[in-house]
Amino acid sequence: MRRFCPSLALLALALAAGPRGPVAAQTPRPNLIAIVTDDQAAWSIGAYGNRESRTPNIDRLAREGACFLNAFTVTPVCSPSRASYLTGLYGTEVGITDWITPAEANAGLGLPPETTTWPEVLQRHGYRTALLGKWHLGTQPRYHPTRHGFDHFFGFLGGGTTPMNPILDRNGERVATEGAEPDVLVDEAFRWLAQHRDRPFALLIHFRAPHTPYGPVPEEDLAPFRDLDPTIPDVPGIDPAQVKRWTREYYASIHSVDRNLGRLLARLDEWSLAHNTIVTFTSDHGYNIGHHGIHTKGNGWWIAGGVQGPKRPNLWDTSLRVPLLVRWPGTVAPGTQIAQVVSNLDTFPSVLAMLGIPQPEGVRQHGRDFTPLLRGRTIPWDDTLFGQYDLHNGGLAYMRMIRTPEWKLVRHYRASQLDELYDLRADPGESRNLYTSASHQRIRDELQQRLTAWMRSIGDPLLRDAAPNESR
């Protein structure tokens, strides 16, 4: 005769109760808040060594979690970078190789509906999902964020909006708002979280700040920098007064983001959500304010003499390097610094791993799971980075890159005498192009072989259409 065991029976009932049962309540699935700023370089943040910008709340994430010292995007402009962040694919694989202009969006360009995003995978596993802020991956209905894994969208579909009083889209309805865009988005975050904090959620906040125009911003964000004499790049030909003004305005816009991050972190504490909510912070690409003599990013403008000149398409580190901070309470040791090279492609598998969700079968993506690095484990890790940029808005360029800790090779396909080779150990500022140096032919050829192999592996259309000498 079987004996009835009350303790075992209670355990069985608890397990059968599912996510709302007592056992599940002890180990709930973690929540995620993923923040992406627009045009924010790692050099602009205190945690990365800046002593003039004021980013106490961003720095708090680094202090309480992990700071990736070598995080990069694989394309240094908005739309393809955002596509890679969400899908783990390169821009050429989804047909988005430059920022999507309004004309292109109206003509039907956007993130293909059949493409799998990691928010979509989270949604399939019971997460409530929301995107607040910038989309820039198509404006037609079939490209809407709610078709790509988001239950809720409140933001703007195109590349930009006004920094104050923006008119935004709430699930297809235009909404007039009042206030600075970062304040408006975080207010919406509070509204959405209040309705969904009782079950696992993934909230993505994609600020437009600090994209140009940098202002206006609230006085409380501008005031700390009004009298600042900022440190600027020592580059011949730039107008110091102009670059310093831009830098002050840039810092003020970043401050508006940082201040709202502080509001958000305080609310997580108030609602007792902080202990079970992973917070990530990054940007879509790096930035230049006078660096290399240009202004903005991978499609930056020459600014010699204070005059805006032609575009200078580039894959310099200043345009590619991004901040990446991860606060994961109970898992990531406070103050962790990670030196390995990671990219925005790695977001897809890493987010799923952090949330305990299996990688979907049959979904192609190129990212690597960096959660072992967050846990402090020593694992084999290749620090090679590949990148691409096909500029076609305001200029024309077809660029491919391989970057190792020692070298960077940048090829300008369908052009001549523009290729670049940098010795990153001796010249981290990428100021001396060694491509035509006879003494560097061996390393140049070795890097080219690896670059060509990578291009083949992703079905790069440049190789398919290349002239015979372009693939060497």
Side-chain angles (χ1 to χ4, degrees), residues 76 96 112 316 344 401:
I96 301 173
W316 287 313
N344 55 346
M401 178 199 76

Side-chain angles (χ1 to χ4, degrees), residues 90-102:
Y90 291 94
T92 52
E93 295 180 289
V94 295
I96 301 173
T97 59
D98 201 354
W99 67 280
I100 298 176
T101 66

Side-chain angles (χ1 to χ4, degrees), residues 180 182-183 209 217-218 221 251-261:
D183 295 84
V217 298
D221 299 312
Y251 287 167
S253 184
I254 290 170
H255 191 272
S256 72
V257 171
D258 185 86
R259 176 174 55 80
N260 277 282
L261 174 60

Side-chain angles (χ1 to χ4, degrees), residues 218-300:
E219 174 61 22
E220 60 187 307
D221 299 312
L222 180 61
F225 309 101
R226 182 171 281 109
D227 298 323
L228 176 68
D229 183 19
T231 303
I232 63 172
D234 183 13
V235 177
I238 64 174
D239 180 346
Q242 179 189 65
V243 171
K244 288 183 179 183
R245 175 174 58 82
W246 282 337
T247 303
R248 286 191 292 269
E249 294 171 352
Y250 186 61
Y251 287 167
S253 184
I254 290 170
H255 191 272
S256 72
V257 171
D258 185 86
R259 176 174 55 80
N260 277 282
L261 174 60
R263 294 176 62 212
L264 183 61
L265 296 179
R267 188 60 61 92
L268 293 180
D269 290 335
E270 178 186 336
W271 285 346
S272 299
L273 291 172
H275 70 285
N276 195 45
T277 300
I278 299 167
V279 179
T280 68
F281 182 96
T282 190
S283 187
D284 54 354
H285 45 71
Y287 207 64
N288 304 270
I289 304 183
H291 306 79
H292 297 282
I294 68 168
H295 187 207
T296 75
K297 46 212 166 190
N299 59 354

Side-chain angles (χ1 to χ4, degrees), residues 86-90 92-94 114-117 345 348-349 359-367 454-460:
L86 291 172
T87 69
L89 298 171
Y90 291 94
T92 52
E93 295 180 289
V94 295
E114 66 273 14
T115 305
T116 300
T117 67
L345 295 172
F348 191 121
Q359 304 298 318
E361 295 184 6
V363 173
R364 175 179 168 85
Q365 60 87 26
H366 304 292
W454 164 72
M455 293 171 69
R456 288 197 183 105
S457 74
I458 65 168
D460 196 313

Side-chain angles (χ1 to χ4, degrees), residues 80-386:
S81 173
R82 292 168 186 275
S84 294
Y85 174 79
L86 291 172
T87 69
L89 298 171
Y90 291 94
T92 52
E93 295 180 289
V94 295
I96 301 173
T97 59
D98 201 354
W99 67 280
I100 298 176
T101 66
E104 289 174 323
N106 291 336
L109 182 59
L111 188 65
E114 66 273 14
T115 305
T116 300
T117 67
W118 56 262
E120 182 181 345
V121 180
L122 269 54
Q123 192 181 53
R124 293 173 188 167
H125 284 79
Y127 274 76
R128 291 289 179 90
T129 59
L131 170 63
L132 311 181
K134 182 169 178 172
W135 174 240
H136 208 183
L137 292 172
T139 60
Q140 295 190 358
R142 67 182 183 274
Y143 302 130
H144 198 271
T146 54
R147 302 285 186 93
H148 278 290
F150 296 100
D151 300 315
H152 177 68
F153 174 67
F154 177 74
F156 51 104
L157 296 173
T161 186
T162 56
M164 295 289 289
N165 306 327
I167 296 176
L168 302 177
D169 174 300
R170 179 183 277 123
N171 299 323
E173 178 185 355
R174 286 170 62 84
V175 178
T177 68
E178 294 185 4
E181 183 255 9
D183 295 84
V184 169
L185 294 186
V186 171
D187 287 345
E188 179 73 8
F190 293 160
R191 284 190 287 271
W192 188 83
L193 286 171
Q195 299 172 3
H196 300 95
R197 58 184 168 137
D198 61 337
R199 59 179 292 182
F201 63 78
L203 171 62
L204 282 68
I205 306 178
H206 289 193
F207 294 108
R208 74 159 296 283
H211 194 288
T212 55
Y214 305 126
V217 298
E219 174 61 22
E220 60 187 307
D221 299 312
L222 180 61
F225 309 101
R226 182 171 281 109
D227 298 323
L228 176 68
D229 183 19
T231 303
I232 63 172
D234 183 13
V235 177
I238 64 174
D239 180 346
Q242 179 189 65
V243 171
K244 288 183 179 183
R245 175 174 58 82
W246 282 337
T247 303
R248 286 191 292 269
E249 294 171 352
Y250 186 61
Y251 287 167
S253 184
I254 290 170
H255 191 272
S256 72
V257 171
D258 185 86
R259 176 174 55 80
N260 277 282
L261 174 60
R263 294 176 62 212
L264 183 61
L265 296 179
R267 188 60 61 92
L268 293 180
D269 290 335
E270 178 186 336
W271 285 346
S272 299
L273 291 172
H275 70 285
N276 195 45
T277 300
I278 299 167
V279 179
T280 68
F281 182 96
T282 190
S283 187
D284 54 354
H285 45 71
Y287 207 64
N288 304 270
I289 304 183
H291 306 79
H292 297 282
I294 68 168
H295 187 207
T296 75
K297 46 212 166 190
N299 59 354
W301 304 89
W302 291 114
I303 54 171
V307 178
Q308 179 173 292
K311 287 197 173 183
R312 192 347 180 150
N314 70 88
L315 291 169
W316 287 313
D317 275 9
T318 46
S319 298
L320 294 169
R321 191 185 295 273
V322 296
L324 177 58
L325 307 171
V326 179
R327 189 180 77 168
W328 187 359
T331 298
V332 176
T336 295
Q337 291 192 334
I338 298 172
Q340 285 88 341
V341 171
V342 299
S343 81
N344 55 346
L345 295 172
D346 301 327
T347 309
F348 191 121
S350 301
V351 163
L352 298 189
M354 285 189 280
L355 301 183
I357 294 175
Q359 304 298 318
E361 295 184 6
V363 173
R364 175 179 168 85
Q365 60 87 26
H366 304 292
R368 298 175 295 175
D369 173 14
F370 55 59
T371 56
L373 304 178
L374 289 171
R375 297 177 183 274
R377 296 175 185 169
T378 301
I379 60 172
W381 194 268
D382 185 356
D383 283 328
T384 304
L385 175 75
F386 294 98

